[in-house]
Amino acid sequence: RKHSVNRPPTPDGAEDQGNEPTLQEIINIKLIESGEKERLMELLRERLIECGWKDEMKALCRSYVKKKGRNNVTVDDLVHLITPKGRASVPDSVKAELLQRIRSFLMSAAL
């Protein structure tokens, strides 16, 4: 069975039986079921566009492709190059706003 480069293999159903979900998994389920995860993702997209982060990442990709040559770059190459830089350059204010929204959600969901 071939596994994706970007995500771990899906565990077999037999391995999961009997295991209680972790708090992180419970929170994720609640976020998805309530629609809050999608709202948070949209907020994140808006904030990253507003602060110029998206344009900065696009420029990094373009300069890398220009340097290496269009036919010599794969999407995986770009993902490996951009992911660490992208995560490190998200403004603290955006992280703080999202964290506050998640905390508010958890308080209202009584988790």
Side-chain angles (χ1 to χ4, degrees), residues 6-7 9 17 23 30-31 36-37 47 51 53 57 65 72 74 87 89 91 94-95 99 101 104 106:
N6 296 324
R7 64 183 171 83
Q17 291 177 356
L23 182 58
K30 296 287 185 193
L31 284 167
E36 185 65 13
K37 186 169 185 175
R47 294 299 183 261
C51 72
W53 180 92
M57 293 303 106
V65 169
N72 301 323
T74 65
R87 286 187 178 149
S89 64
V94 173
K95 293 177 187 177
L99 188 55
R101 287 278 300 265
S104 296
L106 294 177

Side-chain angles (χ1 to χ4, degrees), residues 69-82:
R70 188 177 196 161
N71 296 326
N72 301 323
V73 177
T74 65
V75 172
D76 279 345
D77 292 339
L78 289 174
V79 168
H80 291 323
L81 171 78
I82 295 301

